[in-house]
Amino acid sequence: MAPPRTVARLLVVGLAASALTACAGGSGERTELTFFQFKPEAVAYFEQRAAEFEAQNPDIDVVVDNVPDPETALRTRLVKNDVPDVLTLNGNGTFGELASAGIFENYAGDPLLEDLNEGYVEILQDLGASGEGAVNGIPFAANASGVLYNVELFEQQGVEVPQTWDELIAAAQTFQAAGVTPFYAMLADAWTAQAPLAPLTAQTAPEGFFEARFAGDATFAEGWREAAEKELELFEYTQPNPAAFGYQEGTVAFAAGESAMLLLGSYAVPQIRSFEPDFTVGSFPLPATDDPADTRLVSGVDVLVTAGAGGAHPEESRRFIEFLMEPGAVQDYAEQQVAIPALEGASNPDPALAGIQPYIDEERLVGFDDHQFIPAIPLGPLLQQLLIDKDADAFLDGLDGAWDRVAQRRTWGLGAVSS
Amino acid sequence: MTTPTSGPNTIAAPPRPARGADPDGPDLPGRPGGRTRRPRKSREEYRVNWWLTALLVVLSLTILVPLYFTVVTALKTQDQLGGTGFAFPTEFAWGNFAEAWQLTEFPRTALNSAVITVGAVVLTLLTNSMVAYAIARNMHRRLFKGLFFYFISALFVPFPILMLPVAKQTALLGLDNQVGLILLYVVYGLSFNIFIFVAYINSIPRELEEAAIVDGASTWTLFWKIIFPLLSPMNATVGILTCLWAWNDFLLPLVIVSDPRGATLPLVQYVFQSQFTTNYTVAFASYLMAMAPLLVVYVIAQRWVISGVTRGAIK
Amino acid sequence: MATSTQAPARRTGAPAHRPDRNRIPRTFYWMVLPAVVLFLVFHTVPVLQGVFYSFTDSPGYGDWSFVGLENYVALFADPQVRAAYGFTFRFALLATILVNAIALAVAIGLNGKIKWKNTLRGAYFVPNVLSILVIGYVFQYLFSGSLPAIATALGIDRLSTSILADPQLAWVGILVLAVWQATAFNIIIYLAGLQTVPGELYEAASLDGASSWRQFRSITFPMIAGFFTINMVLALKSFLQVFDHIIALTNGGPGTSTQSVGVLIYRGGFQGGEYGYQLANAVLFMIVIVAFAVVQLRVLQRREVSV
């Protein structure tokens, strides 16, 4: 079947032309909102919320995009100039970087922020903002990073909740002597090593360490040495082969009563409960010093809601965000996910949070230090290396070296502190 | 390698094995258990080397063990996990498949993968062979020789260089979807496919074409009527390779497809992996379902695939 | 996979269009035009953009400024980059050699006088049908769960924990997966090559009393040298770009002990936001890959001729 020459040429040109002008999909009656959802544990919750919203708003079709590796997915979308209409994000360094680049809406003075806990709004502002006084995200749920513990096991061994660093180590020694793994290490997942590092650095590094580090007036070798050494000390009390097990194995083992404590935040509780432990999961802030008054609870914005700046459907996005931020729904989410609702005066009655609630009430809070960290330096893997090699000097010098090199080759976005 | 004596072969019909090929095959996948129509030559009645056979059978276990492992894990309940994992399930948890089916929205995802794969294969065969023909028959001209090397050189460009720019490009043109993926597979496939098509076309004697030219055939006619049918063995090879690539690729869909409803099977496994880390058995059911379609096709068309790739490699 | 390794261009063949020797039918231009245009738009232009951005400090979106060669200078001072190249070279060389050695051996076996020839060939090709990422997840579970359980039962202490958790051993897991998956394809190519060797040669050699090894060295290998060259070049090229295996097995860990160049570019450029800097890394990487291919072709083709 040889097509005549002209037809063939037309075909060829047509193919090329159609390839270059392929339609981007016709829009139907309903407005399509892209909802970028980063939190794997909350997929079901947000999909259900989106469905409820669609039922109430038949003119809107919410497409939920649950992404693995959210940072990469989001940056790829930015490259395409394809910022999602509505997003959930973790309040971390990447959020700060992107907020500084002016990618998200500004909610400063927005009535949506009125019902929310001021502290969390400030944490987001500190991470980065598109301008002076701008707020580029709405806190939705917060988490706390400390220690999760097996309440019954503590009672059994007669161990009190540690108030100081020494008491924490003493507790670990007690459990070890009793043949119980004190802390179950999950180093196969590098990020788990960052969970105890945040409270350690927050309580042992000098005040304003990151500002000083950006200005070149401080080093990790000095400021973070105590934290690195204490982290190493904690990991002396783990099961053998800490690097062979990950988050999955750790939460399973803890739920099975194999270890007394887990160095993780409140976000791990739903996963632990999914394995049906027959004991109470409790929590306490990680004390890093010998003065109980110094102990601070590390808390950050686990989930924030925001919209792309200059989106195509501002009105519909707004409606959806207002729907997501309904106080009842925020509270529901917090109770489902064992999170701290970001609402003013709200709290989560969950027993797993009972141990840290006083710190929240007294506002003895501090943000995650590692969110100030330059995202280009792989802190998780470096920390994993430290805990395998047990070489604090190499780790700290490596951080200083990497930090200086990145600072030298970058001219933008060096955290919120430089402006 | 002689060219098949038959007329144009469609992809679905296996090309007849050429004479002079390996004496023992590739046999036609004919009637089950049926003898092939070829008279068996005395040369084939060699003495079987049982030691070698045994060795190869044992070695092939390295291939089959991970697959066995996937199947039994997918069929277990959570509490049967642990140990070496090679134990046969004590009870079958078929529910794993139902759950994975739902979680990964399997029908839609598999359809996406299938559409992309079929589209890429068909378009690749129709276009790449044509480009290769034009280049092969004009190799003595500087322009075409230059084009040949231009396409080949792309083989050595690591994908990360163009990853973000191409994501930008496709989005600008409204191609950040399945259509765009098909196009990219066709275009990126040019490098390798031209390389093997050209080598093969060079081995086709030109007398055929010259005779047709004398009869007044146009170049299009030459290509579609004479050359394209002769390319069947190569088309089989390229088709198979393109199919495997498009079906199993992960990085390109990851950066190109914007709409979650356009996700392909490997992409969904990646999403799934991060969402349900606690659910090994369902995860394995999902992996098995992602591998199954192509595996089944392969098992059915196994001889033809092997012979296709084999003939393709010999020009 | 074509075996022709000499320049494909031959002026000696009769030109296709005798009637108008110097006039090329316009149709040929139409045949290549769309392909060239599309290739330019979707490959060359993006590559050039990538090269351009490697001279900037762009995060991949928004504003950027020109930094000249600074990214390239910084690359050479970056221990992460050095480590990634070191890992990638070691891995790719080992994987290439292993894959080709195993594939050649198995292909010779499959070409021998065995029973169930077609079934066995079919079985050996199976890994090539599977997605690396998906089968990688299966291997990850095998390495971290089953293997330690087996080693413990056998009393091998060294392997009683997951090799993927050991910075000294994790690369072995990646190597095993890569070899397992890639050998399949090379077996088929070598098989194709072996079928081009006329049986009479072996018969003659057997009559002269040549040993099997001698037959392999003097007959088999020289006859399939072209296949060997192509396989080596393509295998090395693809192993240098190792990516999916690592994402599925270790994610570059433990620490950064299995971070390949591809993974580093992806991670640093996207998660880390150093797009311009990692593009400089990608350009350098491209130069390295091309250099490897050129050297390989030179060396191997000289061998082909000299045999």
Side-chain angles (χ1 to χ4, degrees):
Chain A
M1 254 212 44
R5 194 181 307 178
T6 40
V7 175
R9 277 184 201 172
L10 281 175
L11 265 178
V12 159
V13 174
L15 191 75
S18 67
L20 292 173
T21 58
C23 66
S27 55
E29 292 289 296
R30 303 160 76 198
T31 309
E32 202 171 275
L33 280 189
T34 332
F35 177 36
F36 181 97
Q37 206 292 107
F38 88 98
K39 200 172 171 64
E41 297 88 350
V43 168
Y45 171 87
F46 281 112
E47 284 192 338
Q48 197 197 329
R49 290 290 284 158
E52 286 168 16
F53 178 74
E54 285 174 342
Q56 287 178 27
N57 300 270
D59 60 322
I60 301 181
D61 175 17
V62 179
V63 181
V64 188
D65 188 5
N66 297 300
V67 285
D69 199 354
E71 274 116 7
T72 308
L74 190 53
R75 284 180 200 271
T76 311
R77 277 176 169 271
L78 292 178
V79 166
K80 298 181 186 180
N81 276 329
D82 179 21
V83 185
D85 297 306
V86 180
L87 311 87
T88 62
L89 286 175
N90 178 247
N92 60 15
T94 301
F95 164 77
E97 210 172 88
L98 299 179
S100 308
I103 279 152
F104 307 125
E105 279 292 341
N106 180 5
Y107 294 96
D110 193 300
L112 275 171
L113 298 181
E114 282 170 14
D115 304 336
L116 301 178
N117 182 326
E118 195 103 348
Y120 292 123
V121 175
E122 277 164 23
I123 285 182
L124 288 187
Q125 275 183 298
D126 288 346
L127 288 170
S130 54
E132 199 63 47
V135 181
N136 299 107
I138 307 166
F140 178 84
N143 60 14
S145 194
V147 183
L148 299 176
Y149 73 104
N150 182 330
V151 174
E152 279 81 343
L153 211 58
F154 266 56
E155 286 167 4
Q156 216 177 307
Q157 297 294 333
V159 175
E160 292 287 317
V161 170
Q163 299 286 325
T164 65
W165 172 256
D166 288 346
E167 285 177 20
L168 178 67
I169 295 298
Q173 285 163 343
T174 307
F175 286 114
Q176 197 156 32
V180 179
T181 302
F183 308 108
Y184 201 95
M186 297 159 281
L187 280 187
D189 287 309
W191 64 268
T192 60
Q194 280 170 253
L197 187 76
L200 289 172
T201 52
Q203 296 170 63
T204 63
E207 192 70 33
F209 171 76
F210 274 100
E211 281 91 336
R213 187 67 191 82
F214 277 113
D217 300 335
T219 59
F220 287 103
E222 284 168 15
W224 272 29
R225 179 166 299 277
E226 190 182 339
E229 284 168 354
K230 284 189 164 161
E231 172 116 3
L232 273 175
E233 194 175 344
L234 287 176
F235 274 77
E236 286 170 18
Y237 300 99
T238 63
Q239 83 283 18
N241 304 310
F245 306 95
Y247 180 61
Q248 155 85 1
E249 290 87 358
T251 45
V252 168
F254 179 69
E258 286 173 35
S259 86
M261 293 173 269
L262 272 192
L263 298 165
L264 284 177
S266 51
Y267 44 82
V269 177
Q271 159 121 344
I272 292 164
R273 287 200 182 136
S274 73
F275 306 121
E276 297 169 13
D278 52 4
F279 59 87
T280 317
V281 179
S283 62
F284 60 89
L286 197 157
T289 64
D290 286 337
D291 181 0
D294 284 349
T295 303
R296 292 273 179 285
L297 178 69
V298 171
S299 177
V301 178
D302 193 35
V303 182
L304 61 91
V305 175
T306 185
H313 316 291
E315 191 271 327
E316 288 87 350
S317 299
R318 175 80 200 179
R319 251 195 287 164
F320 185 47
I321 289 182
E322 282 172 3
F323 175 82
L324 287 177
M325 294 306 300
E326 284 168 3
V330 175
Q331 185 71 30
D332 280 351
Y333 172 87
E335 290 181 15
Q336 263 184 43
Q337 296 284 330
V338 198
I340 300 151
L343 304 164
E344 184 74 64
S347 68
N348 188 338
D350 196 299
L353 298 178
I356 54 175
Q357 194 62 45
Y359 291 82
I360 299 171
D361 297 339
E362 295 164 33
E363 297 203 350
R364 290 170 61 186
L365 300 174
V366 60
F368 277 87
D369 243 1
D370 48 348
H371 291 175
Q372 300 278 331
F373 208 84
I374 299 181
I377 302 172
L379 180 59
L382 292 172
L383 203 52
Q384 196 185 28
Q385 195 79 46
L386 162 74
L387 296 169
I388 293 171
D389 297 346
K390 311 216 182 296
D391 186 346
D393 288 331
F395 168 71
L396 294 166
D397 293 346
L399 284 187
D400 279 317
W403 191 276
D404 292 337
R405 273 191 304 273
V406 174
Q408 199 180 5
R409 67 189 183 226
R410 291 234 313 223
T411 52
W412 49 271
L414 280 178
V417 267
S418 77
S419 45
Chain B
M1 191 83 204
T2 50
T3 46
T5 45
S6 53
N9 278 308
T10 55
I11 276 292
R16 286 240 302 279
R19 288 184 306 276
D22 148 42
D24 188 47
D27 288 341
L28 279 176
R31 297 172 300 282
R35 306 291 300 263
T36 52
R37 285 162 303 173
R38 276 190 309 157
R40 295 189 81 78
K41 301 188 195 71
S42 59
R43 245 200 318 175
E44 293 173 35
E45 287 158 16
Y46 51 64
R47 286 223 315 284
V48 172
N49 182 340
W50 286 103
W51 285 113
L52 188 60
T53 308
L55 180 72
L56 286 168
V57 169
V58 170
L59 270 179
S60 72
L61 289 180
T62 54
I63 308 251
L64 303 174
V65 161
L67 295 176
Y68 163 83
F69 180 79
T70 314
V71 174
V72 294
T73 310
L75 284 170
K76 285 177 181 171
T77 51
Q78 283 281 357
D79 51 1
Q80 293 179 60
L81 288 176
T84 59
F86 288 105
F88 206 72
T90 45
E91 49 169 325
F92 292 117
W94 297 108
N96 290 340
F97 289 94
E99 202 172 331
W101 178 278
Q102 216 181 341
L103 284 172
T104 59
E105 299 184 36
F106 187 81
R108 191 176 65 197
T109 318
L111 186 69
N112 277 338
S113 273
V115 166
I116 289 166
T117 305
V118 170
V121 169
V122 171
L123 271 176
T124 297
L125 291 180
L126 291 179
T127 57
N128 289 4
S129 55
M130 186 171 73
V131 178
Y133 173 66
I135 288 178
R137 285 296 181 250
N138 296 287
M139 221 21 146
H140 53 287
R141 293 170 204 276
R142 195 169 293 156
L143 170 73
F144 285 88
K145 192 167 183 171
L147 279 182
F148 178 73
F149 287 112
Y150 167 59
F151 284 126
I152 304 280
S153 63
L155 273 178
F156 296 96
V157 176
F159 184 65
I161 291 191
L162 56 149
M163 192 157 143
L164 277 190
V166 88
K168 198 178 209 147
Q169 202 94 309
T170 46
L172 267 178
L173 301 167
L175 287 168
D176 45 357
N177 50 28
Q178 292 93 323
V179 177
L181 272 181
I182 292 176
L183 192 73
L184 288 182
Y185 288 128
V186 174
V187 172
Y188 290 169
L190 277 167
S191 301
F192 191 71
N193 298 340
I194 281 183
F195 181 55
I196 55 180
F197 269 132
V198 163
Y200 190 76
I201 293 171
N202 279 337
S203 69
I204 297 177
R206 297 190 176 200
E207 284 73 18
L208 290 170
E209 288 153 88
E210 284 174 17
I213 290 172
V214 172
D215 294 346
S218 71
T219 311
W220 289 114
T221 317
L222 279 187
F223 177 70
W224 289 114
K225 274 268 170 71
I226 297 174
I227 301 294
F228 193 74
L230 289 179
L231 288 179
S232 294
M234 232 34 206
N235 279 336
T237 308
V238 169
I240 292 159
L241 296 180
T242 307
C243 172
L244 293 176
W245 177 36
W247 181 271
N248 289 329
D249 189 34
F250 150 69
L251 204 49
L252 212 51
L254 179 70
V255 293
I256 299 297
V257 179
S258 297
D259 189 336
R261 290 168 300 189
T264 61
L265 279 170
L267 198 55
V268 165
Q269 304 314 310
Y270 181 57
V271 175
F272 189 77
Q273 176 78 2
S274 72
Q275 270 177 35
F276 307 97
T277 47
T278 58
N279 220 339
Y280 278 125
T281 54
V282 178
F284 269 64
S286 176
Y287 302 154
L288 195 59
M289 276 159 46
M291 295 189 233
L294 213 55
L295 258 180
V296 170
V297 169
Y298 171 71
V299 169
I300 293 170
Q302 179 254 108
R303 283 190 180 174
W304 178 74
V305 170
I306 299 281
S307 65
V309 177
T310 310
R311 300 145 142 280
I314 310 173
K315 54 147 251 303
Chain C
M1 284 161 320
T3 51
S4 115
T5 40
Q6 57 301 58
R10 279 271 174 279
R11 281 170 171 277
T12 48
H17 300 274
R18 201 160 276 154
D20 41 6
R21 233 193 120 130
N22 298 321
R23 261 203 59 242
I24 170 172
R26 272 246 213 62
T27 315
F28 282 130
Y29 289 117
W30 283 106
M31 280 181 173
V32 294
L33 182 70
V36 173
V37 169
L38 288 174
F39 205 80
L40 265 173
V41 170
F42 288 107
H43 196 277
T44 309
V45 170
V47 170
L48 292 176
Q49 279 177 319
V51 173
F52 172 80
Y53 278 117
S54 74
F55 299 107
T56 70
D57 61 359
S58 163
Y61 53 87
D63 298 337
W64 49 267
S65 50
F66 206 67
V67 297
L69 287 171
E70 268 178 43
N71 284 333
Y72 289 89
V73 175
L75 275 181
F76 286 96
D78 190 340
Q80 260 212 81
V81 171
R82 273 201 297 273
Y85 275 90
F87 167 80
T88 308
F89 289 159
R90 274 199 310 273
F91 166 84
L93 289 173
L94 261 173
T96 305
I97 291 166
L98 273 176
V99 162
N100 279 285
I102 296 172
L104 191 51
V106 172
I108 289 172
L110 286 173
N111 203 41
K113 299 173 174 169
I114 53 166
K115 194 98 179 129
W116 312 302
K117 199 171 246 191
N118 286 319
T119 313
L120 276 168
R121 279 181 190 184
Y124 276 104
F125 190 69
V126 163
N128 201 54
V129 177
L130 308 174
S131 157
I132 297 177
L133 187 80
V134 177
I135 198 71
Y137 288 140
V138 173
F139 269 73
Q140 200 239 351
Y141 193 79
L142 272 171
F143 285 135
S144 54
S146 302
L147 216 59
I150 295 169
T152 311
L154 297 175
I156 308 168
D157 275 354
R158 184 84 173 97
L159 296 176
S160 61
T161 56
S162 167
I163 57 168
L164 298 179
D166 185 335
Q168 266 72 51
L169 285 180
W171 64 274
V172 177
I174 295 166
L175 188 67
V176 169
L177 172 63
V179 170
W180 186 88
Q181 205 274 341
T183 304
F185 189 76
N186 289 326
I187 289 176
I188 300 297
I189 306 304
Y190 282 129
L191 262 176
L194 290 171
Q195 290 176 25
T196 62
V197 184
E200 293 79 23
L201 283 179
Y202 291 117
E203 284 160 30
S206 299
L207 289 177
D208 295 347
S211 66
S212 317
W213 171 243
R214 172 84 212 184
Q215 286 185 24
F216 172 78
R217 270 200 34 221
S218 320
I219 302 171
T220 315
F221 196 74
M223 291 294 285
I224 60 164
F227 291 84
F228 181 74
T229 304
I230 291 291
N231 266 344
M232 290 290 279
V233 172
L234 292 178
L236 187 69
K237 179 207 104 175
S238 62
F239 284 135
L240 280 171
Q241 300 190 41
V242 60
F243 183 86
D244 296 22
H245 312 72
I246 295 173
I247 295 294
L249 287 179
T250 63
N251 238 323
T256 50
S257 60
T258 58
Q259 189 164 253
S260 72
V261 180
V263 173
L264 174 63
I265 292 170
Y266 177 80
R267 279 243 198 107
F270 302 131
Q271 286 168 325
E274 296 198 285
Y275 178 58
Y277 176 66
Q278 289 302 347
L279 272 177
N281 192 4
V283 172
L284 178 69
F285 192 39
M286 176 165 71
I287 295 167
V288 168
I289 291 177
V290 171
F292 264 105
V294 169
V295 168
Q296 261 185 308
L297 282 170
R298 282 265 158 93
V299 172
L300 290 168
Q301 291 198 342
R302 190 169 312 137
R303 285 212 40 180
E304 269 177 57
V305 176
S306 70
V307 176

